Amino acid sequence: MRYERSWVVGGVLLLAGCTEVGEEALASSRDDFELAAEPSIAQIPIVTSIPLGLWFTPMALEKGDFDGDGDTDLLVTGVEAGVGVTGAVFLGDGAGGFAAAIDANFTACSAFPVAGDVDGDGRTDVVTVGCANDLAVLLGQANGTLAPWSAWPAVEYTPVASTVIADFEGDGDSDVMTMRKPDSVYLDIALGNGGEGIWRIETTEVGNAAWSGFDPSGLALGHFDDDGLLDAALIEREHDIVFMQGLPPATFGFQRELGVDIPPWSNRVGDMDDDGYDDLVVSSRTMPSVQTLLADGVGDFSLGSTVILTGFAPYDTAVGDITGDGIPDVAMVDDAVAQIQWLRGNGAGGLLNLRTFTLPSPAIRIHSAHVDGDNREDLIAATFADDSITLVLSNN
């Protein structure tokens, strides 16, 4: 005999898994966790709201495993009146629940960090703009808070437009890559030394925007060819995307504009056609649409799919395996429309079957991550106008 755990929400019965007789039923929280919220909106997948209740105005949302326990946590950063930039961490329990917010000890001069494991200890760290024309590198601690990394050198970084944490040369050590725009456009690679610090910083000049006519604001990295080095995709919103090949020992070169068909707002990276090479997912706000650009492994891209959107202009985009079939899907939010729209990847670069989920408010950020322990990635939306974070748990 088997029985199912369920909730009744708004008159709708939600089924959430089975156990055998003699097994302990799945609890809604661990002993050391207080759930911020049980599912409050009945849909398939289940949509859950996490109330914020913060002491500051939230501005950004990042995901990661900040305490290193293997469960997805959430970092919200923003500005506290009269104090400055601050942040809070919501620790996940691995079953779709989150503990109440704790002070993250987020000390920086920008409320817009990027997340990744800088020092290789298994806990998520963050990098953002510091208060001395530098970068603030904050390491995740065992209790989920953050602390400055003493090994990071006092190097001037100004002005920083975009940052990515990734392993450039595939040696197993995370590197920090930044795009700076003091006069010309520069890409810096701070090569990590196994968590002990950094070896050196290599800099590539992309070009003067006044000369080239290309003034990028965002940086994405991926393996678009088979040389084992990360390549760069630089975006100038409403204009174009420039591809640059990663070159040994730690530089970028051979830049060229891709000539995208839609005025780009954001670009995300994922292997959309299952050929082993990363591809680009480009979204547009002024011509509401999303398209895939498929890498051929030798530095060229071809158009995979374009989907026109109606009544919805994507503000942020996430790529992840929402359906659990091993193929990346695409989810989007609009900062003026209270919806998530998502498209299923077909494994050949195409995007199909547009679906819509209602949110309690418009969202400014969306992530995909494994929140509840199954093989499907879930969606996390920054519905800050509702004083909440909204989870879409991909249980079907």
Side-chain angles (χ1 to χ4, degrees):
M1 181 177 180
R2 298 171 65 86
Y3 66 92
E4 296 177 319
R5 175 172 178 256
S6 63
W7 295 281
V8 177
V9 181
V12 179
L13 181 67
L14 304 182
L15 302 178
C18 305
T19 59
E20 296 285 350
V21 171
E23 290 180 341
E24 182 179 350
L26 177 67
S28 62
S29 65
R30 295 196 321 224
D31 291 339
D32 57 339
F33 275 85
E34 177 183 355
L35 267 184
E38 291 276 20
S40 58
I41 302 174
Q43 293 186 18
I44 300 177
I46 297 172
V47 180
T48 306
S49 287
I50 303 173
L52 292 180
L54 298 172
W55 59 94
F56 58 89
T57 301
M59 301 175 68
L61 170 67
E62 293 298 323
K63 65 175 182 178
D65 182 9
F66 297 100
D67 57 359
D69 65 353
D71 300 326
T72 296
D73 310 312
L74 303 176
L75 172 67
V76 178
T77 53
V79 175
E80 182 179 1
V83 176
V85 173
T86 188
V89 171
F90 296 79
L91 296 176
D93 65 3
F98 290 84
I102 61 173
D103 190 336
N105 192 32
F106 183 81
T107 54
C109 278
S110 169
F112 298 95
V114 296
D117 188 359
V118 174
D119 63 348
D121 66 353
R123 294 192 288 263
T124 300
D125 315 308
V126 299
V127 177
T128 190
V129 175
C131 299
N133 293 328
D134 59 357
L135 290 182
V137 181
L138 308 175
L139 301 186
Q141 305 298 300
N143 64 357
T145 63
L146 301 166
W149 191 23
S150 60
W152 183 259
V155 178
E156 181 174 320
Y157 275 84
T158 183
V160 175
S162 187
T163 304
V164 178
I165 302 169
D167 182 1
F168 173 79
E169 73 277 51
D171 64 352
D173 297 333
S174 290
D175 310 307
V176 177
M177 281 142 283
T178 56
M179 181 173 69
R180 294 182 297 113
K181 297 166 58 177
D183 43 23
S184 188
V185 179
Y186 298 92
L187 296 180
D188 301 309
I189 304 176
L191 294 168
N193 177 25
E196 301 298 324
I198 65 171
W199 288 113
R200 64 187 185 279
I201 299 173
E202 298 282 354
T203 298
T204 301
E205 183 175 5
V206 178
N208 189 303
W211 299 351
S212 67
F214 183 75
D215 187 13
S217 59
L219 169 66
L221 298 174
H223 289 284
F224 303 115
D225 55 28
D226 59 1
D227 64 2
L229 302 176
L230 283 172
D231 309 302
L234 286 65
I235 183 173
E236 180 182 354
R237 286 178 166 173
E238 308 298 333
H239 179 195
D240 206 348
I241 294 174
V242 163
F243 167 76
M244 295 187 70
Q245 184 178 2
L247 301 172
T251 59
F252 297 97
F254 307 119
Q255 57 261 48
R256 70 177 187 282
E257 291 187 271
L258 297 183
V260 295
D261 292 338
I262 60 176
W265 176 261
S266 73
N267 60 329
R268 300 290 182 258
V269 175
D271 185 2
M272 304 303 296
D273 55 358
D274 197 30
D275 64 352
Y277 303 115
D278 285 326
D279 308 301
L280 292 173
V281 177
V282 183
S283 63
S284 175
R285 284 177 59 78
T286 55
M287 185 185 296
S289 55
V290 59
Q291 71 174 200
T292 56
L293 297 176
L294 306 180
D296 65 359
V298 294
D300 291 323
F301 292 81
S302 61
L303 177 63
S305 175
T306 301
V307 177
I308 305 301
L309 305 172
T310 302
F312 185 92
Y315 184 81
D316 192 35
T317 305
V319 174
D321 183 12
I322 303 167
T323 59
D325 61 359
I327 300 170
D329 311 299
V330 176
M332 303 160 286
V333 291
D334 183 336
D335 66 341
V337 178
Q339 292 180 350
I340 290 176
Q341 294 198 1
W342 74 274
L343 292 151
R344 184 167 185 161
N346 68 357
L351 299 173
L352 309 170
N353 303 329
L354 179 68
R355 296 187 66 185
T356 298
F357 301 110
T358 299
L359 296 173
S361 77
I364 61 169
R365 191 81 162 104
I366 186 168
H367 293 284
S368 63
H370 291 284
V371 171
D372 58 358
D374 62 17
N375 68 326
R376 294 171 292 272
E377 291 189 50
D378 310 295
L379 298 176
I380 308 163
T383 45
F384 291 161
D386 180 59
D387 194 35
S388 69
I389 298 169
T390 300
L391 305 180
V392 180
L393 302 178
S394 303
N395 70 322
N396 188 354

